[in-house]
């Protein structure tokens, strides 16, 4: 990304002291700040990985605005907010007055008038969370729960927490492969940005040409169209969902063909480094991106990703709330 654009991104999501006040994207955040998010998430995890409650958001109101379906993100944001003692409202956007023609801007202003402190938004339009933070609700913390193909920053951070806790090596020694529908994946973008910022040794993307975005080489990744070669020696393999809903016309010959060429099977896992991590953000298409026995196998950390999603979302909710208060002069300067 261009430096000027990165600067603008930082200006929107960081307060005057360099702390988070919205969480819109991993772009523009420093290695130090990403590490701060991970370390804050660790404070909400007990010795056995259990979630530790906190009163940090007592009396605050978090509103979940999901314009697209979600199981993991919406639910773990709700669990995270409740674990932080916040009031949580899940607004059913399918039953809201947006269906009667009310604009997003008016909907948000009305919800803001109901004393929301934090909005978590998922939207099919890339840039929706930025729009909210920049033009609609600058005084309410906005957390991006996934916008179009652009960004899914809390997924990126929970993936980094999973790698940090389970890969057994620092990021600087890790080769990470991201496999499948890179073109339509906001998770791929957020993972690549986070891995680069945290200094991963090598980032590979493995996909057919039709599922690679143009200019992918500029992301600083190694591109493989051959899956067997791509997974060779990898420490972490992240399989992605085929996003049929974002494909204008079919970019795949068939699901069977994709599985044959790019499915994460036991044989391919054996080509990676011993005990390499198997990851998937979910929802999974078993037998398309990943074999069932691999998804449920001993190297899979897929359900740990979901669990760490609670701790990461507790970290992001509390940091953004503190950053908003700090921006208004209600908290001291320093790392919020
Ligand atoms: N990983 C993820 O975003 O899953 P959901 O769509 O279920 O939230």
């Amino acid at each position: 990304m261009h430096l000027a654009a990165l600067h603008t991104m930082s200006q929107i999501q960081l307060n005057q002291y360099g702390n988070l006040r919205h969480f819109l994207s991993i772009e523009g955040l420093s290695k130090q700040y990403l590490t701060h998010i991970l370390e804050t998430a660790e404070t909400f995890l007990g010795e056995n990985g259990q979630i530790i409650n906190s009163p940090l958001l007592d009396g605050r109101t978090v509103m979940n605005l999901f314009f697209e379906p979600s199981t993991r993100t919406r639910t773990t944001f709700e669990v995270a907010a409740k674990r932080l003692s916040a009031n949580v409202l899940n607004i059913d956007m399918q039953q809201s007055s947006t269906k009667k023609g009310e604009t997003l801007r008016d909907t948000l202003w009305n919800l803001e008038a109901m004393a929301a402190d934090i909005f978590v938004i998922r939207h099919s339009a890339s840039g929706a969370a930025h729009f909210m933070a920049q033009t609609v609700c600058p005084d309410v913390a906005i957390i991006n729960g996934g916008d179009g193909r652009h960004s899914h920053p809390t997924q990126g951070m929970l993936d980094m927490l999973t790698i940090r806790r389970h890969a057994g090596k620092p990021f600087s020694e890790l080769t990470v492969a991201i496999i499948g529908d890179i073109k339509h994946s906001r998770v791929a973008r957020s993972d690549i940005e986070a891995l680069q910022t945290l200094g991963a040794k090598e980032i590979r993307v493995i996909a057919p040409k039709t599922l690679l975005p143009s200019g992918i080489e500029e992301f600083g990744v190694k591109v493989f169209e051959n899956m067997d070669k791509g997974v060779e020696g990898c420490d972490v393999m992240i399989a992605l969902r085929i996003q049929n809903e974002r494909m204008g016309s079919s970019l795949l010959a068939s699901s069977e063909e994709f599985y044959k060429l790019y499915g994460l099977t036991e044989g391919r896992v054996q080509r990676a480094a011993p005990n390499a991590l198997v990851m998937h953000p979910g929802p999974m298409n078993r037998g398309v991106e990943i074999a069932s026995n691999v998804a449920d196998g001993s190297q899979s950390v897929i359900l740990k990703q979901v669990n760490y999603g609670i701790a990461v979302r507790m970290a992001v909710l509390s940091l953004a709330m503190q950053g908003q208060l700090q921006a208004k002069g209600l908290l001291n300067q320093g790392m919020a």
Side-chain angles (χ1 to χ4, degrees), residues 40 57 60 74 83 152 162 174 190 195 198-199 201 222-223 237-238 245 257 272 290 303 305 307 318 331:
T40 305
L57 292 191
R60 303 288 173 189
R74 195 196 60 73
R83 292 287 197 150
H152 194 349
T162 308
L174 293 176
S190 290
L195 286 164
L198 292 169
K201 184 173 91 179
K222 276 196 182 173
V223 178
M237 292 165 287
I238 305 173
E245 76 275 20
E257 182 76 357
I290 189 164
L303 292 178
Q305 289 173 262
N307 182 244
S318 53
L331 270 187

mmCIF file of all heavy atoms in Angstrom, residues 40 57 60 74 83 152 162 174 190 195 198-199 201 222-223 237-238 245 257 272 290 303 305 307 318 331:
data_model
loop_
_atom_site.group_PDB
_atom_site.id
_atom_site.type_symbol
_atom_site.label_atom_id
_atom_site.label_comp_id
_atom_site.label_asym_id
_atom_site.label_seq_id
_atom_site.Cartn_x
_atom_site.Cartn_y
_atom_site.Cartn_z
ATOM 1 N N THR A 40 -2.190 -8.164 25.016
ATOM 2 C CA THR A 40 -3.427 -7.836 25.754
ATOM 3 C C THR A 40 -4.374 -9.031 25.701
ATOM 4 O O THR A 40 -4.995 -9.391 26.713
ATOM 5 C CB THR A 40 -4.095 -6.578 25.153
ATOM 6 O OG1 THR A 40 -3.144 -5.515 25.149
ATOM 7 C CG2 THR A 40 -5.318 -6.151 25.941
ATOM 8 N N LEU A 57 -15.405 -3.086 30.451
ATOM 9 C CA LEU A 57 -16.463 -2.397 29.684
ATOM 10 C C LEU A 57 -17.776 -2.315 30.473
ATOM 11 O O LEU A 57 -18.855 -2.196 29.877
ATOM 12 C CB LEU A 57 -16.702 -3.082 28.337
ATOM 13 C CG LEU A 57 -15.585 -3.012 27.295
ATOM 14 C CD1 LEU A 57 -16.094 -3.506 25.934
ATOM 15 C CD2 LEU A 57 -15.032 -1.602 27.126
ATOM 16 N N ARG A 60 -20.842 -0.054 29.516
ATOM 17 C CA ARG A 60 -20.742 0.321 28.093
ATOM 18 C C ARG A 60 -21.692 -0.537 27.262
ATOM 19 O O ARG A 60 -22.083 -1.629 27.671
ATOM 20 C CB ARG A 60 -19.310 0.107 27.571
ATOM 21 C CG ARG A 60 -18.265 0.857 28.359
ATOM 22 C CD ARG A 60 -18.343 2.344 28.075
ATOM 23 N NE ARG A 60 -17.474 3.107 28.936
ATOM 24 C CZ ARG A 60 -17.474 4.426 29.010
ATOM 25 N NH1 ARG A 60 -18.305 5.145 28.289
ATOM 26 N NH2 ARG A 60 -16.649 5.050 29.813
ATOM 27 N N ARG A 74 -19.622 -12.964 14.892
ATOM 28 C CA ARG A 74 -20.684 -12.301 15.658
ATOM 29 C C ARG A 74 -20.788 -12.880 17.067
ATOM 30 O O ARG A 74 -20.864 -12.150 18.058
ATOM 31 C CB ARG A 74 -22.038 -12.429 14.941
ATOM 32 C CG ARG A 74 -23.089 -11.476 15.476
ATOM 33 C CD ARG A 74 -24.496 -11.836 15.062
ATOM 34 N NE ARG A 74 -24.898 -13.155 15.527
ATOM 35 C CZ ARG A 74 -25.185 -13.454 16.793
ATOM 36 N NH1 ARG A 74 -25.111 -12.526 17.728
ATOM 37 N NH2 ARG A 74 -25.534 -14.678 17.126
ATOM 38 N N ARG A 83 -18.039 -10.977 28.452
ATOM 39 C CA ARG A 83 -16.935 -11.295 29.371
ATOM 40 C C ARG A 83 -16.280 -10.021 29.913
ATOM 41 O O ARG A 83 -15.633 -10.037 30.944
ATOM 42 C CB ARG A 83 -15.878 -12.136 28.646
ATOM 43 C CG ARG A 83 -16.372 -13.530 28.279
ATOM 44 C CD ARG A 83 -16.461 -14.403 29.512
ATOM 45 N NE ARG A 83 -16.527 -15.804 29.185
ATOM 46 C CZ ARG A 83 -16.049 -16.770 29.973
ATOM 47 N NH1 ARG A 83 -15.474 -16.479 31.117
ATOM 48 N NH2 ARG A 83 -16.169 -18.021 29.624
ATOM 49 N N HIS A 152 -10.404 -8.266 7.378
ATOM 50 C CA HIS A 152 -11.061 -8.943 8.516
ATOM 51 C C HIS A 152 -10.010 -8.949 9.629
ATOM 52 O O HIS A 152 -9.408 -9.965 9.954
ATOM 53 C CB HIS A 152 -11.466 -10.355 8.094
ATOM 54 C CG HIS A 152 -12.422 -11.037 9.023
ATOM 55 N ND1 HIS A 152 -12.738 -10.566 10.275
ATOM 56 C CD2 HIS A 152 -13.136 -12.185 8.871
ATOM 57 C CE1 HIS A 152 -13.616 -11.392 10.844
ATOM 58 N NE2 HIS A 152 -13.860 -12.383 10.016
ATOM 59 N N THR A 162 -2.986 -17.619 17.407
ATOM 60 C CA THR A 162 -2.937 -19.096 17.304
ATOM 61 C C THR A 162 -1.535 -19.534 16.881
ATOM 62 O O THR A 162 -0.963 -20.471 17.459
ATOM 63 C CB THR A 162 -3.986 -19.579 16.266
ATOM 64 O OG1 THR A 162 -5.252 -19.013 16.592
ATOM 65 C CG2 THR A 162 -4.080 -21.093 16.253
ATOM 66 N N LEU A 174 9.286 -18.617 10.600
ATOM 67 C CA LEU A 174 8.136 -19.379 10.083
ATOM 68 C C LEU A 174 7.880 -19.155 8.596
ATOM 69 O O LEU A 174 7.910 -18.025 8.106
ATOM 70 C CB LEU A 174 6.866 -18.971 10.841
ATOM 71 C CG LEU A 174 6.790 -19.349 12.319
ATOM 72 C CD1 LEU A 174 5.517 -18.794 12.934
ATOM 73 C CD2 LEU A 174 6.843 -20.863 12.489
ATOM 74 N N SER A 190 -5.768 -9.736 5.443
ATOM 75 C CA SER A 190 -5.406 -9.394 6.832
ATOM 76 C C SER A 190 -4.283 -10.291 7.335
ATOM 77 O O SER A 190 -3.387 -9.822 8.052
ATOM 78 C CB SER A 190 -6.641 -9.500 7.739
ATOM 79 O OG SER A 190 -7.537 -8.452 7.418
ATOM 80 N N LEU A 195 1.239 -10.994 9.019
ATOM 81 C CA LEU A 195 2.465 -11.816 8.957
ATOM 82 C C LEU A 195 3.651 -10.962 8.520
ATOM 83 O O LEU A 195 4.760 -11.107 9.048
ATOM 84 C CB LEU A 195 2.264 -12.990 7.984
ATOM 85 C CG LEU A 195 1.363 -14.109 8.516
ATOM 86 C CD1 LEU A 195 0.911 -15.021 7.375
ATOM 87 C CD2 LEU A 195 2.084 -14.929 9.592
ATOM 88 N N LEU A 198 4.641 -8.647 11.398
ATOM 89 C CA LEU A 198 5.264 -9.379 12.510
ATOM 90 C C LEU A 198 6.563 -10.054 12.088
ATOM 91 O O LEU A 198 7.231 -10.684 12.910
ATOM 92 C CB LEU A 198 4.266 -10.398 13.081
ATOM 93 C CG LEU A 198 3.065 -9.763 13.809
ATOM 94 C CD1 LEU A 198 1.989 -10.796 14.096
ATOM 95 C CD2 LEU A 198 3.499 -9.088 15.114
ATOM 96 N N GLY A 199 6.912 -9.953 10.799
ATOM 97 C CA GLY A 199 8.235 -10.400 10.344
ATOM 98 C C GLY A 199 8.346 -11.873 10.011
ATOM 99 O O GLY A 199 9.421 -12.464 10.211
ATOM 100 N N LYS A 201 9.157 -15.265 8.167
ATOM 101 C CA LYS A 201 10.294 -15.523 7.268
ATOM 102 C C LYS A 201 9.820 -15.561 5.811
ATOM 103 O O LYS A 201 10.422 -14.930 4.939
ATOM 104 C CB LYS A 201 10.937 -16.865 7.657
ATOM 105 C CG LYS A 201 12.180 -17.194 6.846
ATOM 106 C CD LYS A 201 12.876 -18.427 7.384
ATOM 107 C CE LYS A 201 12.345 -19.661 6.674
ATOM 108 N NZ LYS A 201 12.981 -20.904 7.126
ATOM 109 N N LYS A 222 5.329 -15.266 -1.996
ATOM 110 C CA LYS A 222 5.752 -16.168 -3.061
ATOM 111 C C LYS A 222 4.512 -16.885 -3.571
ATOM 112 O O LYS A 222 3.739 -17.424 -2.765
ATOM 113 C CB LYS A 222 6.723 -17.214 -2.521
ATOM 114 C CG LYS A 222 8.144 -16.742 -2.462
ATOM 115 C CD LYS A 222 9.075 -17.940 -2.307
ATOM 116 C CE LYS A 222 10.501 -17.454 -2.200
ATOM 117 N NZ LYS A 222 11.434 -18.530 -1.896
ATOM 118 N N VAL A 223 4.322 -16.893 -4.877
ATOM 119 C CA VAL A 223 3.108 -17.477 -5.450
ATOM 120 C C VAL A 223 3.402 -18.880 -5.976
ATOM 121 O O VAL A 223 4.395 -19.092 -6.681
ATOM 122 C CB VAL A 223 2.576 -16.582 -6.601
ATOM 123 C CG1 VAL A 223 1.335 -17.201 -7.228
ATOM 124 C CG2 VAL A 223 2.280 -15.183 -6.071
ATOM 125 N N MET A 237 -0.146 -23.975 7.592
ATOM 126 C CA MET A 237 -0.963 -23.965 6.362
ATOM 127 C C MET A 237 -2.355 -23.446 6.705
ATOM 128 O O MET A 237 -3.025 -24.008 7.574
ATOM 129 C CB MET A 237 -1.059 -25.396 5.804
ATOM 130 C CG MET A 237 0.275 -25.911 5.283
ATOM 131 S SD MET A 237 0.260 -27.699 5.041
ATOM 132 C CE MET A 237 0.289 -28.259 6.722
ATOM 133 N N ILE A 238 -2.745 -22.377 6.039
ATOM 134 C CA ILE A 238 -4.069 -21.782 6.285
ATOM 135 C C ILE A 238 -4.918 -22.013 5.035
ATOM 136 O O ILE A 238 -4.661 -21.416 3.988
ATOM 137 C CB ILE A 238 -3.967 -20.271 6.574
ATOM 138 C CG1 ILE A 238 -3.000 -20.006 7.743
ATOM 139 C CG2 ILE A 238 -5.345 -19.685 6.853
ATOM 140 C CD1 ILE A 238 -2.706 -18.525 8.007
ATOM 141 N N GLU A 245 -20.191 -16.969 -3.201
ATOM 142 C CA GLU A 245 -21.083 -15.803 -3.199
ATOM 143 C C GLU A 245 -20.402 -14.543 -3.726
ATOM 144 O O GLU A 245 -21.070 -13.574 -4.064
ATOM 145 C CB GLU A 245 -21.660 -15.564 -1.793
ATOM 146 C CG GLU A 245 -20.726 -14.928 -0.768
ATOM 147 C CD GLU A 245 -19.816 -15.929 -0.045
ATOM 148 O OE1 GLU A 245 -19.621 -17.042 -0.570
ATOM 149 O OE2 GLU A 245 -19.288 -15.571 1.020
ATOM 150 N N GLU A 257 -12.591 -30.919 -8.869
ATOM 151 C CA GLU A 257 -11.316 -30.587 -9.508
ATOM 152 C C GLU A 257 -10.457 -29.752 -8.538
ATOM 153 O O GLU A 257 -9.255 -29.957 -8.410
ATOM 154 C CB GLU A 257 -11.607 -29.794 -10.795
ATOM 155 C CG GLU A 257 -10.386 -29.398 -11.608
ATOM 156 C CD GLU A 257 -9.800 -30.554 -12.403
ATOM 157 O OE1 GLU A 257 -10.300 -31.688 -12.293
ATOM 158 O OE2 GLU A 257 -8.810 -30.298 -13.115
ATOM 159 N N ALA A 272 4.577 -30.980 4.372
ATOM 160 C CA ALA A 272 4.963 -29.787 5.157
ATOM 161 C C ALA A 272 5.941 -30.200 6.250
ATOM 162 O O ALA A 272 6.310 -31.369 6.363
ATOM 163 C CB ALA A 272 3.703 -29.166 5.763
ATOM 164 N N ILE A 290 -10.489 -28.725 2.247
ATOM 165 C CA ILE A 290 -9.774 -29.472 3.294
ATOM 166 C C ILE A 290 -10.446 -30.832 3.492
ATOM 167 O O ILE A 290 -11.673 -30.936 3.437
ATOM 168 C CB ILE A 290 -9.765 -28.634 4.609
ATOM 169 C CG1 ILE A 290 -8.847 -29.251 5.662
ATOM 170 C CG2 ILE A 290 -11.154 -28.412 5.160
ATOM 171 C CD1 ILE A 290 -8.494 -28.280 6.805
ATOM 172 N N LEU A 303 -10.257 -25.198 15.938
ATOM 173 C CA LEU A 303 -11.159 -24.794 17.026
ATOM 174 C C LEU A 303 -10.441 -23.909 18.050
ATOM 175 O O LEU A 303 -11.076 -23.098 18.730
ATOM 176 C CB LEU A 303 -11.796 -26.027 17.682
ATOM 177 C CG LEU A 303 -12.778 -26.759 16.749
ATOM 178 C CD1 LEU A 303 -13.342 -28.006 17.412
ATOM 179 C CD2 LEU A 303 -13.917 -25.848 16.287
ATOM 180 N N GLN A 305 -8.449 -21.573 17.059
ATOM 181 C CA GLN A 305 -8.629 -20.257 16.427
ATOM 182 C C GLN A 305 -9.927 -19.616 16.942
ATOM 183 O O GLN A 305 -9.953 -18.429 17.265
ATOM 184 C CB GLN A 305 -8.702 -20.383 14.897
ATOM 185 C CG GLN A 305 -7.389 -20.726 14.218
ATOM 186 C CD GLN A 305 -7.600 -21.000 12.727
ATOM 187 O OE1 GLN A 305 -7.702 -22.149 12.321
ATOM 188 N NE2 GLN A 305 -7.674 -19.955 11.924
ATOM 189 N N ASN A 307 -11.606 -20.239 19.706
ATOM 190 C CA ASN A 307 -11.485 -19.901 21.121
ATOM 191 C C ASN A 307 -10.641 -18.634 21.329
ATOM 192 O O ASN A 307 -11.022 -17.727 22.079
ATOM 193 C CB ASN A 307 -10.880 -21.099 21.858
ATOM 194 C CG ASN A 307 -10.764 -20.819 23.342
ATOM 195 O OD1 ASN A 307 -9.678 -20.758 23.889
ATOM 196 N ND2 ASN A 307 -11.882 -20.597 23.990
ATOM 197 N N SER A 318 -11.594 -3.634 24.307
ATOM 198 C CA SER A 318 -11.149 -2.822 25.445
ATOM 199 C C SER A 318 -10.145 -1.758 25.009
ATOM 200 O O SER A 318 -10.207 -0.614 25.465
ATOM 201 C CB SER A 318 -10.593 -3.697 26.578
ATOM 202 O OG SER A 318 -9.607 -4.562 26.100
ATOM 203 N N LEU A 331 -8.743 9.896 29.554
ATOM 204 C CA LEU A 331 -7.726 8.946 30.045
ATOM 205 C C LEU A 331 -6.378 9.571 29.840
ATOM 206 O O LEU A 331 -6.194 10.402 28.951
ATOM 207 C CB LEU A 331 -7.749 7.645 29.232
ATOM 208 C CG LEU A 331 -8.622 6.464 29.646
ATOM 209 C CD1 LEU A 331 -8.299 5.280 28.746
ATOM 210 C CD2 LEU A 331 -8.428 6.079 31.101
#
